[in-house]
Amino acid sequence: MTMKRTTRRHTATTRRRFLATTAAFSAFSIVPRHVLAGSGKQTPSDKLNLGCVGVGGMQGAGDVRNVSRENIYALCDVDANHLEKTAANYPDAKRYRDFREMLEKEHKNLDAITVTIPDHMHATVSLWAMERGIAVHCQKPLTQSVWEARLLTKAAEKYNVVTQMGNQGYSSEATRVACEIIWSGDLGDITEVHSMSGGGFSRGVTEWPPVEEVPKTLDWDLWTGRAAEHTYSSKIHPIHWRGFLEYGTQMIGDWGIHMLGPANWALQLGNPTSVECTAVEGVNPVTYPSYACKVEFPERPNKYVPSGKMPPLTLYWYEGSAVKHFAPPDGLTREDVKPFNEIFIGTKGHLGTGGRGESYRLIPESKMQDFEKPPQVLKRSPGHFQDWIQACKGGEAACSNFSIAGPYTEWMLLGAISWRFPNEKLLWDGKNLRFTNNEKANEFVKPRFRKGWELNDISV
């Protein structure tokens, strides 16, 4: 389907703007239902109209369920099998195969959308929605490329829409307590963070899989979207695409962006000064290898600590078989760190977090015997999706809105570039979104777009 891409911004009060403003007003005044009766407008208590893009595969159906207390107005999936299976639970929802058609036809009726599709299309779908004034919840990682992450950050500001990235651990109480422990100063200065994931997708696939017939229920061209044209394989759709260079980000984007949430928040991480791959194995032209890298951050401001700043930090990431290169820091044993996938090294003590930042412990475990939580600093979350929904209805900005998620995704994805240049310190100029000492590395900052799928930069 060829469809002209249009940008629609309405000066008139839209349904979603009315919901947000009246919800904000209702925080101070009770608005009786009869006041709005007959006006054609909905009361603040009414539900959002949601569109869900990607309703099967790895997480799609689950994300629909996560927002199903609102009105599931439209469902969209390139795979008819996924679409019909999920639509059976929402018989009143409109059904679409092409997100462009859904957004063109329904943009006046939709308040928000969820985006739960392969990484390489996150930015495209999210941008189409934001241009039309529609709020967005986009699964992690926010984008597949550094350039696209910056683009969505600017788009959210330009179009003034509510946003949230799907790194659920950001809403967990444990992540917030971990922040408060670090800000209390009990661990001293945090100078190192180590994080790792030994998993992976499509490990061992080193050439494009053999050609298979495209299932009649799947629009493979639309699934391909902005990526280069390749033949279909069941080794790609619906699950294993995350390991392919064309479509995913492998473990740093799958679990790294979950696990390093406490570090990003507690340490107020922004633009690093460099990234360096310290080990890599299994390099091939099709899928991501296993690798380890380190990212260096300069001193940076932090309003939550007495000094108002954080010291320089070195953050280490290990994925796939490269986790073998992790060695416990001095004073800790492998048994001490075994329960954790993120480890903070301070000048006075150590802290570990697990899952998606959903658990925390001082290290070694003996340090927990007399532990008392520090004073609460951060507001506790009602839940990651509910946080976003409340923001859509006029509440505070969601905790991982794109002004936070965009810069976070940028520095994370530098690791997904670094393995191509092993043992070379790549100097990063975050302001200008480029490496200053390697032009070849700059070729991987922005993706190559298939004709007809180009995204243009925007100014704010």
PDB file of all heavy atoms in Angstrom, residues 13-48:
ATOM      1  N   THR A  13     -10.061  22.321  19.896  1.00  0.00           N
ATOM      2  CA  THR A  13      -9.939  21.418  21.027  1.00  0.00           C
ATOM      3  C   THR A  13     -10.325  20.023  20.586  1.00  0.00           C
ATOM      4  O   THR A  13     -11.428  19.792  20.128  1.00  0.00           O
ATOM      5  CB  THR A  13     -10.861  21.862  22.171  1.00  0.00           C
ATOM      6  OG1 THR A  13     -10.480  23.173  22.570  1.00  0.00           O
ATOM      7  CG2 THR A  13     -10.736  20.910  23.351  1.00  0.00           C
ATOM      8  N   THR A  14      -9.425  19.083  20.706  1.00  0.00           N
ATOM      9  CA  THR A  14      -9.698  17.709  20.323  1.00  0.00           C
ATOM     10  C   THR A  14     -10.212  16.931  21.515  1.00  0.00           C
ATOM     11  O   THR A  14     -10.147  17.372  22.651  1.00  0.00           O
ATOM     12  CB  THR A  14      -8.410  17.032  19.816  1.00  0.00           C
ATOM     13  OG1 THR A  14      -7.485  17.011  20.892  1.00  0.00           O
ATOM     14  CG2 THR A  14      -7.825  17.778  18.633  1.00  0.00           C
ATOM     15  N   ARG A  15     -10.710  15.736  21.238  1.00  0.00           N
ATOM     16  CA  ARG A  15     -11.223  14.895  22.301  1.00  0.00           C
ATOM     17  C   ARG A  15     -10.153  14.607  23.340  1.00  0.00           C
ATOM     18  O   ARG A  15     -10.376  14.707  24.546  1.00  0.00           O
ATOM     19  CB  ARG A  15     -11.748  13.587  21.711  1.00  0.00           C
ATOM     20  CG  ARG A  15     -12.196  12.588  22.770  1.00  0.00           C
ATOM     21  CD  ARG A  15     -12.647  11.273  22.137  1.00  0.00           C
ATOM     22  NE  ARG A  15     -13.149  10.389  23.170  1.00  0.00           N
ATOM     23  CZ  ARG A  15     -12.385   9.631  23.926  1.00  0.00           C
ATOM     24  NH1 ARG A  15     -11.081   9.661  23.777  1.00  0.00           N
ATOM     25  NH2 ARG A  15     -12.914   8.857  24.852  1.00  0.00           N
ATOM     26  N   ARG A  16      -8.935  14.267  22.889  1.00  0.00           N
ATOM     27  CA  ARG A  16      -7.892  13.916  23.848  1.00  0.00           C
ATOM     28  C   ARG A  16      -7.430  15.128  24.643  1.00  0.00           C
ATOM     29  O   ARG A  16      -7.090  15.013  25.809  1.00  0.00           O
ATOM     30  CB  ARG A  16      -6.721  13.234  23.152  1.00  0.00           C
ATOM     31  CG  ARG A  16      -6.140  13.976  21.980  1.00  0.00           C
ATOM     32  CD  ARG A  16      -5.067  13.131  21.296  1.00  0.00           C
ATOM     33  NE  ARG A  16      -4.775  13.632  19.965  1.00  0.00           N
ATOM     34  CZ  ARG A  16      -5.375  13.213  18.864  1.00  0.00           C
ATOM     35  NH1 ARG A  16      -6.310  12.299  18.941  1.00  0.00           N
ATOM     36  NH2 ARG A  16      -5.060  13.706  17.693  1.00  0.00           N
ATOM     37  N   ARG A  17      -7.424  16.310  24.026  1.00  0.00           N
ATOM     38  CA  ARG A  17      -7.038  17.504  24.769  1.00  0.00           C
ATOM     39  C   ARG A  17      -8.094  17.822  25.818  1.00  0.00           C
ATOM     40  O   ARG A  17      -7.797  18.237  26.930  1.00  0.00           O
ATOM     41  CB  ARG A  17      -6.857  18.686  23.814  1.00  0.00           C
ATOM     42  CG  ARG A  17      -6.291  19.925  24.487  1.00  0.00           C
ATOM     43  CD  ARG A  17      -6.013  21.002  23.469  1.00  0.00           C
ATOM     44  NE  ARG A  17      -5.023  20.547  22.509  1.00  0.00           N
ATOM     45  CZ  ARG A  17      -4.783  21.172  21.345  1.00  0.00           C
ATOM     46  NH1 ARG A  17      -5.452  22.248  21.015  1.00  0.00           N
ATOM     47  NH2 ARG A  17      -3.875  20.701  20.520  1.00  0.00           N
ATOM     48  N   PHE A  18      -9.363  17.607  25.450  1.00  0.00           N
ATOM     49  CA  PHE A  18     -10.433  17.839  26.405  1.00  0.00           C
ATOM     50  C   PHE A  18     -10.311  16.889  27.594  1.00  0.00           C
ATOM     51  O   PHE A  18     -10.453  17.296  28.746  1.00  0.00           O
ATOM     52  CB  PHE A  18     -11.793  17.637  25.715  1.00  0.00           C
ATOM     53  CG  PHE A  18     -12.961  17.857  26.643  1.00  0.00           C
ATOM     54  CD1 PHE A  18     -13.441  19.138  26.868  1.00  0.00           C
ATOM     55  CD2 PHE A  18     -13.553  16.788  27.297  1.00  0.00           C
ATOM     56  CE1 PHE A  18     -14.500  19.349  27.736  1.00  0.00           C
ATOM     57  CE2 PHE A  18     -14.615  16.989  28.164  1.00  0.00           C
ATOM     58  CZ  PHE A  18     -15.090  18.268  28.375  1.00  0.00           C
ATOM     59  N   LEU A  19     -10.036  15.616  27.319  1.00  0.00           N
ATOM     60  CA  LEU A  19      -9.869  14.657  28.407  1.00  0.00           C
ATOM     61  C   LEU A  19      -8.755  15.089  29.350  1.00  0.00           C
ATOM     62  O   LEU A  19      -8.896  15.017  30.568  1.00  0.00           O
ATOM     63  CB  LEU A  19      -9.546  13.269  27.839  1.00  0.00           C
ATOM     64  CG  LEU A  19     -10.721  12.419  27.362  1.00  0.00           C
ATOM     65  CD1 LEU A  19     -10.197  11.174  26.657  1.00  0.00           C
ATOM     66  CD2 LEU A  19     -11.621  12.036  28.512  1.00  0.00           C
ATOM     67  N   ALA A  20      -7.637  15.529  28.777  1.00  0.00           N
ATOM     68  CA  ALA A  20      -6.489  15.899  29.608  1.00  0.00           C
ATOM     69  C   ALA A  20      -6.775  17.144  30.438  1.00  0.00           C
ATOM     70  O   ALA A  20      -6.496  17.190  31.634  1.00  0.00           O
ATOM     71  CB  ALA A  20      -5.257  16.126  28.733  1.00  0.00           C
ATOM     72  N   THR A  21      -7.367  18.158  29.807  1.00  0.00           N
ATOM     73  CA  THR A  21      -7.576  19.399  30.535  1.00  0.00           C
ATOM     74  C   THR A  21      -8.659  19.259  31.595  1.00  0.00           C
ATOM     75  O   THR A  21      -8.529  19.785  32.692  1.00  0.00           O
ATOM     76  CB  THR A  21      -7.945  20.540  29.567  1.00  0.00           C
ATOM     77  OG1 THR A  21      -9.076  20.139  28.781  1.00  0.00           O
ATOM     78  CG2 THR A  21      -6.795  20.859  28.635  1.00  0.00           C
ATOM     79  N   THR A  22      -9.717  18.529  31.271  1.00  0.00           N
ATOM     80  CA  THR A  22     -10.769  18.368  32.272  1.00  0.00           C
ATOM     81  C   THR A  22     -10.317  17.465  33.397  1.00  0.00           C
ATOM     82  O   THR A  22     -10.705  17.648  34.553  1.00  0.00           O
ATOM     83  CB  THR A  22     -12.055  17.805  31.641  1.00  0.00           C
ATOM     84  OG1 THR A  22     -11.748  16.622  30.916  1.00  0.00           O
ATOM     85  CG2 THR A  22     -12.710  18.824  30.735  1.00  0.00           C
ATOM     86  N   ALA A  23      -9.455  16.481  33.087  1.00  0.00           N
ATOM     87  CA  ALA A  23      -8.931  15.620  34.149  1.00  0.00           C
ATOM     88  C   ALA A  23      -8.057  16.427  35.092  1.00  0.00           C
ATOM     89  O   ALA A  23      -8.103  16.259  36.313  1.00  0.00           O
ATOM     90  CB  ALA A  23      -8.132  14.465  33.543  1.00  0.00           C
ATOM     91  N   ALA A  24      -7.258  17.322  34.531  1.00  0.00           N
ATOM     92  CA  ALA A  24      -6.419  18.178  35.371  1.00  0.00           C
ATOM     93  C   ALA A  24      -7.283  19.098  36.220  1.00  0.00           C
ATOM     94  O   ALA A  24      -7.036  19.309  37.402  1.00  0.00           O
ATOM     95  CB  ALA A  24      -5.470  18.995  34.491  1.00  0.00           C
ATOM     96  N   PHE A  25      -8.357  19.654  35.628  1.00  0.00           N
ATOM     97  CA  PHE A  25      -9.248  20.544  36.363  1.00  0.00           C
ATOM     98  C   PHE A  25      -9.942  19.812  37.500  1.00  0.00           C
ATOM     99  O   PHE A  25     -10.116  20.341  38.597  1.00  0.00           O
ATOM    100  CB  PHE A  25     -10.293  21.124  35.405  1.00  0.00           C
ATOM    101  CG  PHE A  25     -11.329  21.990  36.090  1.00  0.00           C
ATOM    102  CD1 PHE A  25     -10.994  23.271  36.518  1.00  0.00           C
ATOM    103  CD2 PHE A  25     -12.611  21.527  36.305  1.00  0.00           C
ATOM    104  CE1 PHE A  25     -11.934  24.063  37.146  1.00  0.00           C
ATOM    105  CE2 PHE A  25     -13.550  22.323  36.931  1.00  0.00           C
ATOM    106  CZ  PHE A  25     -13.215  23.592  37.349  1.00  0.00           C
ATOM    107  N   SER A  26     -10.299  18.531  37.221  1.00  0.00           N
ATOM    108  CA  SER A  26     -11.039  17.774  38.219  1.00  0.00           C
ATOM    109  C   SER A  26     -10.211  17.452  39.444  1.00  0.00           C
ATOM    110  O   SER A  26     -10.736  17.024  40.464  1.00  0.00           O
ATOM    111  CB  SER A  26     -11.593  16.477  37.615  1.00  0.00           C
ATOM    112  OG  SER A  26     -10.543  15.597  37.301  1.00  0.00           O
ATOM    113  N   ALA A  27      -8.907  17.667  39.370  1.00  0.00           N
ATOM    114  CA  ALA A  27      -8.067  17.466  40.551  1.00  0.00           C
ATOM    115  C   ALA A  27      -8.404  18.501  41.625  1.00  0.00           C
ATOM    116  O   ALA A  27      -8.139  18.306  42.797  1.00  0.00           O
ATOM    117  CB  ALA A  27      -6.591  17.578  40.175  1.00  0.00           C
ATOM    118  N   PHE A  28      -9.037  19.616  41.180  1.00  0.00           N
ATOM    119  CA  PHE A  28      -9.366  20.681  42.115  1.00  0.00           C
ATOM    120  C   PHE A  28     -10.881  20.864  42.282  1.00  0.00           C
ATOM    121  O   PHE A  28     -11.327  21.438  43.259  1.00  0.00           O
ATOM    122  CB  PHE A  28      -8.761  22.006  41.629  1.00  0.00           C
ATOM    123  CG  PHE A  28      -7.287  21.930  41.445  1.00  0.00           C
ATOM    124  CD1 PHE A  28      -6.734  21.694  40.199  1.00  0.00           C
ATOM    125  CD2 PHE A  28      -6.423  22.045  42.529  1.00  0.00           C
ATOM    126  CE1 PHE A  28      -5.359  21.617  40.038  1.00  0.00           C
ATOM    127  CE2 PHE A  28      -5.049  21.973  42.367  1.00  0.00           C
ATOM    128  CZ  PHE A  28      -4.526  21.741  41.122  1.00  0.00           C
ATOM    129  N   SER A  29     -11.648  20.389  41.300  1.00  0.00           N
ATOM    130  CA  SER A  29     -13.089  20.580  41.346  1.00  0.00           C
ATOM    131  C   SER A  29     -13.800  19.308  40.925  1.00  0.00           C
ATOM    132  O   SER A  29     -13.316  18.581  40.058  1.00  0.00           O
ATOM    133  CB  SER A  29     -13.512  21.715  40.396  1.00  0.00           C
ATOM    134  OG  SER A  29     -12.819  22.902  40.702  1.00  0.00           O
ATOM    135  N   ILE A  30     -14.939  19.047  41.516  1.00  0.00           N
ATOM    136  CA  ILE A  30     -15.761  17.929  41.095  1.00  0.00           C
ATOM    137  C   ILE A  30     -16.649  18.410  39.958  1.00  0.00           C
ATOM    138  O   ILE A  30     -17.396  19.385  40.096  1.00  0.00           O
ATOM    139  CB  ILE A  30     -16.640  17.407  42.254  1.00  0.00           C
ATOM    140  CG1 ILE A  30     -15.741  16.980  43.412  1.00  0.00           C
ATOM    141  CG2 ILE A  30     -17.526  16.269  41.795  1.00  0.00           C
ATOM    142  CD1 ILE A  30     -14.790  15.848  43.061  1.00  0.00           C
ATOM    143  N   VAL A  31     -16.570  17.744  38.822  1.00  0.00           N
ATOM    144  CA  VAL A  31     -17.377  18.137  37.672  1.00  0.00           C
ATOM    145  C   VAL A  31     -18.519  17.145  37.544  1.00  0.00           C
ATOM    146  O   VAL A  31     -18.308  16.006  37.131  1.00  0.00           O
ATOM    147  CB  VAL A  31     -16.539  18.131  36.366  1.00  0.00           C
ATOM    148  CG1 VAL A  31     -17.384  18.596  35.199  1.00  0.00           C
ATOM    149  CG2 VAL A  31     -15.319  19.024  36.544  1.00  0.00           C
ATOM    150  N   PRO A  32     -19.726  17.521  37.909  1.00  0.00           N
ATOM    151  CA  PRO A  32     -20.851  16.588  37.815  1.00  0.00           C
ATOM    152  C   PRO A  32     -21.070  16.141  36.381  1.00  0.00           C
ATOM    153  O   PRO A  32     -20.887  16.919  35.434  1.00  0.00           O
ATOM    154  CB  PRO A  32     -22.040  17.429  38.320  1.00  0.00           C
ATOM    155  CG  PRO A  32     -21.431  18.574  39.070  1.00  0.00           C
ATOM    156  CD  PRO A  32     -20.127  18.833  38.413  1.00  0.00           C
ATOM    157  N   ARG A  33     -21.473  14.891  36.225  1.00  0.00           N
ATOM    158  CA  ARG A  33     -21.647  14.325  34.893  1.00  0.00           C
ATOM    159  C   ARG A  33     -22.673  15.111  34.085  1.00  0.00           C
ATOM    160  O   ARG A  33     -22.519  15.307  32.878  1.00  0.00           O
ATOM    161  CB  ARG A  33     -22.065  12.863  35.013  1.00  0.00           C
ATOM    162  CG  ARG A  33     -21.961  12.095  33.720  1.00  0.00           C
ATOM    163  CD  ARG A  33     -22.271  10.611  33.942  1.00  0.00           C
ATOM    164  NE  ARG A  33     -21.973   9.841  32.762  1.00  0.00           N
ATOM    165  CZ  ARG A  33     -20.770   9.353  32.463  1.00  0.00           C
ATOM    166  NH1 ARG A  33     -19.757   9.599  33.263  1.00  0.00           N
ATOM    167  NH2 ARG A  33     -20.568   8.654  31.375  1.00  0.00           N
ATOM    168  N   HIS A  34     -23.735  15.644  34.768  1.00  0.00           N
ATOM    169  CA  HIS A  34     -24.794  16.314  34.018  1.00  0.00           C
ATOM    170  C   HIS A  34     -24.319  17.633  33.405  1.00  0.00           C
ATOM    171  O   HIS A  34     -24.936  18.147  32.464  1.00  0.00           O
ATOM    172  CB  HIS A  34     -26.013  16.565  34.929  1.00  0.00           C
ATOM    173  CG  HIS A  34     -25.798  17.641  35.931  1.00  0.00           C
ATOM    174  ND1 HIS A  34     -25.283  17.393  37.180  1.00  0.00           N
ATOM    175  CD2 HIS A  34     -26.001  18.997  35.863  1.00  0.00           C
ATOM    176  CE1 HIS A  34     -25.195  18.531  37.856  1.00  0.00           C
ATOM    177  NE2 HIS A  34     -25.614  19.514  37.085  1.00  0.00           N
ATOM    178  N   VAL A  35     -23.226  18.191  33.943  1.00  0.00           N
ATOM    179  CA  VAL A  35     -22.733  19.455  33.397  1.00  0.00           C
ATOM    180  C   VAL A  35     -22.341  19.290  31.937  1.00  0.00           C
ATOM    181  O   VAL A  35     -22.508  20.187  31.113  1.00  0.00           O
ATOM    182  CB  VAL A  35     -21.525  19.962  34.216  1.00  0.00           C
ATOM    183  CG1 VAL A  35     -20.856  21.134  33.527  1.00  0.00           C
ATOM    184  CG2 VAL A  35     -21.989  20.358  35.616  1.00  0.00           C
ATOM    185  N   LEU A  36     -21.798  18.102  31.629  1.00  0.00           N
ATOM    186  CA  LEU A  36     -21.334  17.864  30.268  1.00  0.00           C
ATOM    187  C   LEU A  36     -22.356  17.112  29.432  1.00  0.00           C
ATOM    188  O   LEU A  36     -22.140  16.898  28.246  1.00  0.00           O
ATOM    189  CB  LEU A  36     -20.020  17.080  30.301  1.00  0.00           C
ATOM    190  CG  LEU A  36     -18.877  17.783  31.023  1.00  0.00           C
ATOM    191  CD1 LEU A  36     -17.650  16.873  31.070  1.00  0.00           C
ATOM    192  CD2 LEU A  36     -18.516  19.092  30.359  1.00  0.00           C
ATOM    193  N   ALA A  37     -23.424  16.693  30.050  1.00  0.00           N
ATOM    194  CA  ALA A  37     -24.413  15.920  29.312  1.00  0.00           C
ATOM    195  C   ALA A  37     -24.963  16.733  28.153  1.00  0.00           C
ATOM    196  O   ALA A  37     -25.288  17.907  28.276  1.00  0.00           O
ATOM    197  CB  ALA A  37     -25.542  15.516  30.255  1.00  0.00           C
ATOM    198  N   GLY A  38     -25.068  16.093  27.021  1.00  0.00           N
ATOM    199  CA  GLY A  38     -25.612  16.731  25.838  1.00  0.00           C
ATOM    200  C   GLY A  38     -24.629  17.617  25.115  1.00  0.00           C
ATOM    201  O   GLY A  38     -24.951  18.178  24.068  1.00  0.00           O
ATOM    202  N   SER A  39     -23.421  17.773  25.665  1.00  0.00           N
ATOM    203  CA  SER A  39     -22.439  18.648  25.019  1.00  0.00           C
ATOM    204  C   SER A  39     -21.653  17.941  23.938  1.00  0.00           C
ATOM    205  O   SER A  39     -20.919  18.554  23.183  1.00  0.00           O
ATOM    206  CB  SER A  39     -21.460  19.179  26.069  1.00  0.00           C
ATOM    207  OG  SER A  39     -20.641  18.124  26.564  1.00  0.00           O
ATOM    208  N   GLY A  40     -21.765  16.599  23.916  1.00  0.00           N
ATOM    209  CA  GLY A  40     -20.952  15.828  22.972  1.00  0.00           C
ATOM    210  C   GLY A  40     -19.570  15.562  23.486  1.00  0.00           C
ATOM    211  O   GLY A  40     -18.769  14.895  22.833  1.00  0.00           O
ATOM    212  N   LYS A  41     -19.252  16.103  24.665  1.00  0.00           N
ATOM    213  CA  LYS A  41     -17.944  15.895  25.265  1.00  0.00           C
ATOM    214  C   LYS A  41     -18.022  14.836  26.354  1.00  0.00           C
ATOM    215  O   LYS A  41     -19.067  14.640  26.971  1.00  0.00           O
ATOM    216  CB  LYS A  41     -17.411  17.211  25.866  1.00  0.00           C
ATOM    217  CG  LYS A  41     -17.286  18.348  24.863  1.00  0.00           C
ATOM    218  CD  LYS A  41     -16.285  18.043  23.767  1.00  0.00           C
ATOM    219  CE  LYS A  41     -16.093  19.223  22.835  1.00  0.00           C
ATOM    220  NZ  LYS A  41     -15.114  18.939  21.763  1.00  0.00           N
ATOM    221  N   GLN A  42     -16.902  14.163  26.605  1.00  0.00           N
ATOM    222  CA  GLN A  42     -16.877  13.120  27.613  1.00  0.00           C
ATOM    223  C   GLN A  42     -16.357  13.663  28.934  1.00  0.00           C
ATOM    224  O   GLN A  42     -15.553  14.584  28.960  1.00  0.00           O
ATOM    225  CB  GLN A  42     -16.006  11.957  27.138  1.00  0.00           C
ATOM    226  CG  GLN A  42     -16.527  11.341  25.852  1.00  0.00           C
ATOM    227  CD  GLN A  42     -15.891  10.012  25.575  1.00  0.00           C
ATOM    228  OE1 GLN A  42     -15.270   9.433  26.444  1.00  0.00           O
ATOM    229  NE2 GLN A  42     -16.054   9.511  24.373  1.00  0.00           N
ATOM    230  N   THR A  43     -16.849  13.100  30.016  1.00  0.00           N
ATOM    231  CA  THR A  43     -16.426  13.536  31.335  1.00  0.00           C
ATOM    232  C   THR A  43     -15.042  13.008  31.647  1.00  0.00           C
ATOM    233  O   THR A  43     -14.572  12.052  31.010  1.00  0.00           O
ATOM    234  CB  THR A  43     -17.415  13.043  32.398  1.00  0.00           C
ATOM    235  OG1 THR A  43     -17.382  11.616  32.416  1.00  0.00           O
ATOM    236  CG2 THR A  43     -18.816  13.516  32.102  1.00  0.00           C
ATOM    237  N   PRO A  44     -14.340  13.594  32.615  1.00  0.00           N
ATOM    238  CA  PRO A  44     -12.984  13.168  32.946  1.00  0.00           C
ATOM    239  C   PRO A  44     -12.877  11.692  33.312  1.00  0.00           C
ATOM    240  O   PRO A  44     -11.822  11.104  33.171  1.00  0.00           O
ATOM    241  CB  PRO A  44     -12.621  14.059  34.143  1.00  0.00           C
ATOM    242  CG  PRO A  44     -13.478  15.259  33.978  1.00  0.00           C
ATOM    243  CD  PRO A  44     -14.756  14.773  33.379  1.00  0.00           C
ATOM    244  N   SER A  45     -13.987  11.105  33.794  1.00  0.00           N
ATOM    245  CA  SER A  45     -13.929   9.708  34.200  1.00  0.00           C
ATOM    246  C   SER A  45     -13.996   8.750  33.026  1.00  0.00           C
ATOM    247  O   SER A  45     -13.802   7.557  33.191  1.00  0.00           O
ATOM    248  CB  SER A  45     -15.082   9.406  35.168  1.00  0.00           C
ATOM    249  OG  SER A  45     -16.333   9.635  34.522  1.00  0.00           O
ATOM    250  N   ASP A  46     -14.315   9.255  31.840  1.00  0.00           N
ATOM    251  CA  ASP A  46     -14.460   8.370  30.697  1.00  0.00           C
ATOM    252  C   ASP A  46     -13.107   7.813  30.245  1.00  0.00           C
ATOM    253  O   ASP A  46     -12.055   8.365  30.537  1.00  0.00           O
ATOM    254  CB  ASP A  46     -15.130   9.102  29.537  1.00  0.00           C
ATOM    255  CG  ASP A  46     -16.631   9.206  29.735  1.00  0.00           C
ATOM    256  OD1 ASP A  46     -17.226   8.291  30.329  1.00  0.00           O
ATOM    257  OD2 ASP A  46     -17.194  10.225  29.302  1.00  0.00           O
ATOM    258  N   LYS A  47     -13.172   6.739  29.504  1.00  0.00           N
ATOM    259  CA  LYS A  47     -11.969   6.004  29.133  1.00  0.00           C
ATOM    260  C   LYS A  47     -11.310   6.577  27.882  1.00  0.00           C
ATOM    261  O   LYS A  47     -11.963   7.157  27.017  1.00  0.00           O
ATOM    262  CB  LYS A  47     -12.328   4.537  28.904  1.00  0.00           C
ATOM    263  CG  LYS A  47     -12.852   3.847  30.153  1.00  0.00           C
ATOM    264  CD  LYS A  47     -13.217   2.397  29.861  1.00  0.00           C
ATOM    265  CE  LYS A  47     -13.696   1.702  31.135  1.00  0.00           C
ATOM    266  NZ  LYS A  47     -14.046   0.274  30.893  1.00  0.00           N
ATOM    267  N   LEU A  48     -10.016   6.352  27.812  1.00  0.00           N
ATOM    268  CA  LEU A  48      -9.265   6.715  26.617  1.00  0.00           C
ATOM    269  C   LEU A  48      -9.602   5.762  25.486  1.00  0.00           C
ATOM    270  O   LEU A  48      -9.831   4.568  25.695  1.00  0.00           O
ATOM    271  CB  LEU A  48      -7.762   6.631  26.882  1.00  0.00           C
ATOM    272  CG  LEU A  48      -7.165   7.519  27.957  1.00  0.00           C
ATOM    273  CD1 LEU A  48      -5.707   7.129  28.180  1.00  0.00           C
ATOM    274  CD2 LEU A  48      -7.263   8.985  27.580  1.00  0.00           C
TER     275      LEU A  48
END
